[in-house]
Amino acid sequence: MRALHIEDNPDDRALAARELIRAFPDIEIVSIGNHAALSREIEHGTVDLVLTDYQFNWSDGLQVLREVKARRPDCPVVMFTGSGDEELVVEALKAGLDDYVIKSPKHAARLATAVRSALERSASRRSLRRSEE
């Protein structure tokens, strides 16, 4: 599995990576640090999952979500963030966000479960679309 991780805080990147590697030992995590890298990976790379913060120095998680869903509608996107509120969550879910996990050591353990569920839902959507075609 190949995951794009959009996070500008190295400690938070390490926290998420630790949880994901524990649950998915074969995962390849690609850190994305700018819009060009994100666009390149979404357009040409293998992407099984996008994990994004909400606020970072070159954009925000909603913009990332919209860009991913516009180019790869079945790609699961999970937001792992310490910022935002109920309105943000509702807006993001309406835009296609698969899950939202609060960024803290206490909630980090839920990240793997959220990712697993998002991947399963994505596989189900692809399967349903193929059977309808």
Side-chain angles (χ1 to χ4, degrees):
M1 174 173 57
R2 192 161 188 266
L4 305 183
H5 188 195
I6 300 123
E7 171 63 66
D8 54 9
N9 181 311
D11 293 333
D12 293 337
R13 261 196 316 269
L15 174 64
R18 183 183 72 229
E19 294 301 322
L20 291 176
I21 291 168
R22 185 179 296 158
F24 307 98
D26 295 330
I27 193 170
E28 176 189 356
I29 301 171
V30 178
S31 292
I32 301 294
N34 59 55
H35 186 262
L38 175 65
S39 292
R40 185 174 50 253
E41 289 293 334
I42 292 171
E43 194 65 35
H44 303 291
T46 301
V47 180
D48 299 304
L49 169 76
V50 174
L51 179 64
T52 184
D53 192 0
Y54 174 64
Q55 292 182 329
F56 37 92
N57 59 12
W58 51 272
S59 187
D60 67 52
L62 286 174
Q63 285 300 107
V64 167
L65 170 65
R66 289 182 184 113
E67 185 167 349
V68 170
K69 292 299 182 177
R71 293 181 179 179
R72 294 184 180 227
D74 290 328
C75 181
V77 179
V78 175
M79 194 172 289
F80 185 52
T81 186
S83 55
D85 56 21
E86 240 178 70
E87 288 179 26
L88 164 68
V89 175
V90 169
E91 183 179 356
L93 290 171
K94 285 181 180 179
L97 185 70
D98 290 275
D99 211 334
Y100 180 96
V101 179
I102 296 169
K103 190 188 310 177
S104 74
K106 174 183 171 185
H107 292 100
R110 192 177 104 55
L111 183 59
T113 302
V115 165
R116 186 171 282 111
S117 295
L119 290 167
E120 288 170 0
R121 285 190 304 273
S122 176
S124 293
R125 286 190 302 264
R126 283 192 306 273
S127 178
L128 178 62
R129 191 178 64 248
R130 278 189 226 120
S131 69
E132 287 174 347
E133 291 171 352

